[in-house]
Amino acid sequence: MTTMNALREDASRRLRRETVSAAAICLVLVTGGALTATENLPALNGTTSTSAFLLGVVMGLCAVAAVATLKSIVDLRRALSDDRELRRLHAKENDELQAHMEREVARTFIQLMPVLAVIAIFVGALVSLEAMAAVAATLVFLSVALLIVKASYKIRLKGDIDGGEE
């Protein structure tokens, strides 16, 4: 059984991490807004419309990430102020049905990734060659990041298993 102090410490640690994430996302949004407002977008091969399109995509993704992060911050703050909310958050996050559904959604998304990549590259090609190249480069970056995260989890799990056997 997890004690309330352990739950509170975990929530506090996660709140700090989410707050740092929110600050980084806001920094990207402010920088993107400043670049747009001052018309200082770095043009790819002289095409400012392509740069504006790509910045719009990045800003849209950051806005979605900001909303999700802020929701998480609000939930964590609420949980830290009330033990009942803290227990409810813990139960929600450790719900096996929810965890199974999230694993299936992630697995399906990963399986659909090649199709989504083709669609994204095609849409980028409709905008310009630079947009298509930027989409392809982003997909390569995200694929490498996914592999790194997967490898780090495998290493961490292996360390937990090896550490538990000693």
Side-chain angles (χ1 to χ4, degrees):
M1 178 93 186
T2 306
T3 67
M4 291 303 291
N5 286 336
L7 291 177
R8 214 173 271 107
E9 287 174 21
D10 181 55
S12 294
R13 185 174 39 256
R14 290 178 42 217
L15 179 60
R16 284 190 299 273
R17 191 173 51 232
E18 292 293 332
T19 303
V20 169
S21 294
I25 291 168
C26 288
L27 181 65
V28 170
L29 287 171
V30 167
T31 303
L35 286 173
T36 302
T38 60
E39 296 181 2
N40 285 324
L41 291 172
L44 300 170
N45 292 336
T47 317
T48 55
S49 62
T50 300
S51 294
F53 170 78
L54 295 174
L55 182 65
V57 170
V58 169
M59 299 235 345
L61 291 172
C62 284
V64 169
V67 169
T69 302
L70 290 175
K71 182 190 178 316
S72 179
I73 288 172
V74 168
D75 290 345
L76 288 166
R77 284 188 184 268
R78 187 177 301 133
L80 285 170
S81 67
D82 182 18
D83 286 351
R84 187 179 316 154
E85 286 294 322
L86 186 60
R87 284 191 292 273
R88 186 176 296 139
L89 180 66
H90 179 71
K92 177 183 164 189
E93 290 176 347
N94 292 292
D95 180 13
E96 285 300 318
L97 180 60
Q98 181 70 21
H100 175 71
M101 186 177 75
E102 288 173 3
R103 282 190 303 270
E104 289 303 312
V105 167
R107 185 177 294 124
T108 302
F109 183 75
I110 295 299
Q111 289 171 346
L112 289 174
M113 195 71 145
V115 173
L116 295 173
V118 169
I119 292 169
I121 290 172
F122 178 73
V123 169
L126 292 175
V127 174
S128 72
L129 180 64
E130 295 90 3
M132 182 181 72
V135 168
T138 302
L139 290 170
V140 168
F141 170 77
L142 292 175
S143 298
V144 170
L146 178 66
L147 291 173
I148 290 170
V149 168
K150 187 175 180 179
S152 70
Y153 271 102
K154 281 186 176 183
I155 291 168
R156 190 177 320 158
L157 287 174
K158 187 177 186 315
D160 288 346
I161 291 170
D162 292 343
E165 292 176 355
E166 293 177 8

